[in-house]
Amino acid sequence: MNTADLGLPEEGREALPQKGGGGRRVGVPSTALFTDQYELTMLRAALKAGTAERRSVFEVFTRRLPEGRRYGVVAGTGRVLDAVENFRFDAGVLGFLRERQIVDEETLEWLAGYRFSGDIWGYREGEVYFPGSPIMRVEGTFADCVLLETVILSILNHDSAIAAAASRMSSAAGDRPLIEMGARRTHELAAVAASRAAYLGGFASTSDLAAGFRYGIPTVGTSAHAFTLLHDRERDAFRAQVDSLGRGTTLLVDTYDVAEAVRTAVEVAGPELGAVRIDSGDLLLVAHRVRQQLDALGATRTKIIVTSDLDEYAIASLAAAPVDAYGVGTQLVTGSGHPTCSMVYKLVARAESTDPGAPLVAVAKKSTGGKTSIGGRKWAARRLDADGVAEAEVVGTGPMPAELVEQQLLAELVKGGEVVAREPLDAVRDRHTAARANLPLSATQLSRGEPVLPTEYVHGDSGS
C-alpha cells in the first residue's frame, strides 16, 4: 500500500520502505536461556543414561483450533530460524547455569560446544494449518532437539496467534488497508514480533518503528490527542501539524466536537487534506456524518481512518461505512481473544539405539484427557477437489501416496544445522494470501464453526 493513501506528507513518504521484507538483520544475544529448566535436566539425565545420542523426531502440532476459528496461520518460522542459529551457550550463560547448579560439569562441557546439527522441516511460513498438521518437524539426536522445544513453541504460538487474528481482520476489511498500532498494548519486544505477524496476515503498515527497522514493514503515524490538548486551540494544533507535515497529513478530529473539528481541519488544510482519524463514538454513524461533511466542504478525496479498539467483528460491521482504513491495536496483539495456538512439541519417533543406522520406532503419549498424540514421523499434503479448491488436510506416516506428492506441505528449512530456506517477508505475505484464497469460501466466515478442512490420517510405518 502506498503510504500516500494514509495521508502522509510527500517529504515523509520517501524515507519509508514501501515493501516489507527489506529490513535489517539485527544482532541478538544468545537464545539459549529462552527455555524451560527441564529441557536441561532431561539432557543431563539422558547424557548420564547414554540415550542422548539416539536419533529422534519431534513434531509441532495443535490438537484443536481456538473456538470459532476455521483455519490457523503458520507464522514465526523466520524468527525460529534466527533463534536456532543463535542458540549458543556462551560464557555468561554457562556461568549462570553453574552458579545455580542446574546441570553438572559434564553437561556444561557438552553445552559449551552445542550447535544444532540436525534437520528441520516445516509448513512454509504464511501457509494455513489445521488440527493435527505437523507444522514443524525437528530431527537429530535427542540432545540436539530437546533443547529447542520452548523457544520454538514460544515463537510459533505467539506469532501464529497474531497472524490468525490479522488474517481474519484483513479478510473482514476487504480492500481497505489495516494499520497495526498495538505496541503500547503488549511487551516491547512482543510488539515487534506482532507487527511482523500482522503484516504477514494482511496488514499494510505499522506504527512501530522497531518493526519497520528490523523487518522493512511500512511505517505510518501523525499525532495523538495530546498534541491537540497541548495547544490553546484545536485550530492551532491543526495549523502546526499541517505546517510541519504538509496538507496530506492525517488530522485527529475527535478530541472535542467532531463536526467542528472537521470544519476547522478543511479550513486549515484545504480540500487537499489527506485524511481525518476518528478514535471514539459510534464509528458507523460518525463515519457517515463525517463523509457527508467532507464532501459538502469540497474535501471529496480526504480519507477517513477509524481506530478505537477494533476487532474483526467491528471491522466487518463497518463494511458499509465510508471508511478508507482501519487502525487496530489491542485486539490484534492479543490474538483477538486467543493469544496462543496451544501448539505442542512432542517426540513422535526415536531410534532403538544410538547406532546412527538404527531404525526409528514410533512413540506417542497415551494419557487420557484429550492430550493423546499420534506416533510416527509424518508427512502432510492438502488434497484438492476437481476445481482446485482444498478439501482435506491429509497427514500420514510411511510413503506418501503418489497422487498427493504435488500437494505436499513440508519443506526443508534447516539441513545439517544450516538454514536453507530464508525468504523475504513479502513472499511469506503473498503465500498467505494465496493459501487463504485456496480454501473453501466458508473459511472466512466469522460465525462459529468447525475447521474448514477435515484432517485425515493415513497410517504406515514410522519412517526412517
Side-chain angles (χ1 to χ4, degrees), residues 136-169:
M136 186 168 286
R137 191 175 72 219
V138 183
E139 306 182 32
T141 66
F142 178 83
D144 245 345
C145 302
V146 73
L147 296 179
L148 300 178
E149 174 182 6
T150 304
V151 71
I152 287 177
L153 288 180
S154 176
I155 293 171
L156 293 181
N157 268 313
H158 174 269
D159 290 23
S160 296
I162 307 305
S167 179
R168 284 161 61 86
M169 292 174 186

Side-chain angles (χ1 to χ4, degrees), residues 376-463:
R377 181 179 185 271
K378 300 177 192 68
W379 49 262
R382 190 159 297 145
R383 192 173 67 239
L384 308 179
D385 64 16
D387 297 317
V389 177
E391 65 176 8
E393 194 87 339
V394 186
V395 176
T397 58
M400 180 184 292
E403 66 271 17
L404 293 176
V405 171
E406 293 297 319
Q407 283 77 48
Q408 61 184 313
L409 294 163
L410 291 168
E412 193 168 32
L413 306 175
V414 176
K415 183 175 183 179
E418 298 295 324
V419 175
V420 296
R422 273 203 178 86
E423 54 188 344
L425 186 54
D426 273 325
V428 173
R429 174 183 165 92
D430 291 344
R431 177 179 297 118
H432 176 63
T433 300
R436 188 176 66 187
N438 199 44
L439 296 175
L441 289 175
S442 59
T444 57
Q445 291 179 350
L446 297 181
S447 57
R448 295 186 183 277
E450 296 299 314
V452 71
L453 297 186
T455 303
E456 300 176 359
Y457 291 96
V458 177
H459 297 289
D461 58 40
S462 63

Side-chain angles (χ1 to χ4, degrees), residues 146-453:
V146 73
L147 296 179
L148 300 178
E149 174 182 6
T150 304
V151 71
I152 287 177
L153 288 180
S154 176
I155 293 171
L156 293 181
N157 268 313
H158 174 269
D159 290 23
S160 296
I162 307 305
S167 179
R168 284 161 61 86
M169 292 174 186
S170 66
S171 177
D175 294 333
R176 298 171 178 177
L178 292 157
I179 311 163
E180 185 281 310
M181 47 197 307
R184 64 193 63 195
R185 300 295 190 228
T186 188
H187 185 280
E188 67 272 18
L189 298 182
V192 183
S195 292
R196 181 184 184 279
Y199 186 74
L200 180 163
F203 274 59
S205 57
T206 178
S207 66
D208 191 289
L209 290 177
F213 176 81
R214 183 157 189 167
Y215 297 119
I217 301 169
T219 58
V220 297
T222 49
S223 68
H225 293 101
F227 186 75
T228 300
L229 296 170
L230 168 69
H231 294 81
D232 296 332
R233 299 184 304 164
E234 191 169 46
R235 179 180 296 274
D236 297 336
F238 288 172
R239 171 56 61 193
Q241 184 172 327
V242 169
D243 287 347
S244 175
L245 300 179
R247 296 177 185 274
T249 191
T250 299
L251 295 177
L252 182 58
V253 294
D254 72 331
T255 305
Y256 305 118
D257 179 83
V258 173
E260 180 62 30
V262 170
R263 184 179 304 108
T264 302
V266 176
E267 288 175 359
V268 170
E272 298 84 11
L273 174 63
V276 296
R277 178 163 74 94
I278 307 166
D279 188 51
S280 59
D282 183 336
L283 297 178
L284 179 62
L285 176 62
V286 175
H288 277 288
R289 287 178 174 174
V290 168
R291 181 73 271 160
Q292 292 172 357
Q293 186 179 12
L294 287 170
D295 291 347
L297 293 171
T300 57
R301 301 180 64 180
T302 298
K303 299 183 182 300
I304 298 175
I305 301 170
V306 296
T307 51
S308 188
D309 208 26
L310 299 175
D311 62 9
E312 60 266 48
Y313 300 101
I315 292 169
S317 73
L318 292 168
V323 171
D324 297 288
Y326 305 93
V328 189
T330 303
Q331 293 301 318
L332 175 67
V333 299
T334 57
S336 196
H338 298 288
T340 180
C341 301
S342 299
M343 293 179 187
V344 294
Y345 183 97
K346 296 298 181 183
L347 180 67
V348 297
R350 51 87 176 165
E352 294 179 336
S353 70
T354 57
D355 184 338
L360 288 174
V361 177
V363 295
K365 183 177 179 179
K366 299 296 184 183
S367 65
T368 58
K371 287 194 172 184
T372 58
S373 57
I374 298 174
R377 181 179 185 271
K378 300 177 192 68
W379 49 262
R382 190 159 297 145
R383 192 173 67 239
L384 308 179
D385 64 16
D387 297 317
V389 177
E391 65 176 8
E393 194 87 339
V394 186
V395 176
T397 58
M400 180 184 292
E403 66 271 17
L404 293 176
V405 171
E406 293 297 319
Q407 283 77 48
Q408 61 184 313
L409 294 163
L410 291 168
E412 193 168 32
L413 306 175
V414 176
K415 183 175 183 179
E418 298 295 324
V419 175
V420 296
R422 273 203 178 86
E423 54 188 344
L425 186 54
D426 273 325
V428 173
R429 174 183 165 92
D430 291 344
R431 177 179 297 118
H432 176 63
T433 300
R436 188 176 66 187
N438 199 44
L439 296 175
L441 289 175
S442 59
T444 57
Q445 291 179 350
L446 297 181
S447 57
R448 295 186 183 277
E450 296 299 314
V452 71
L453 297 186

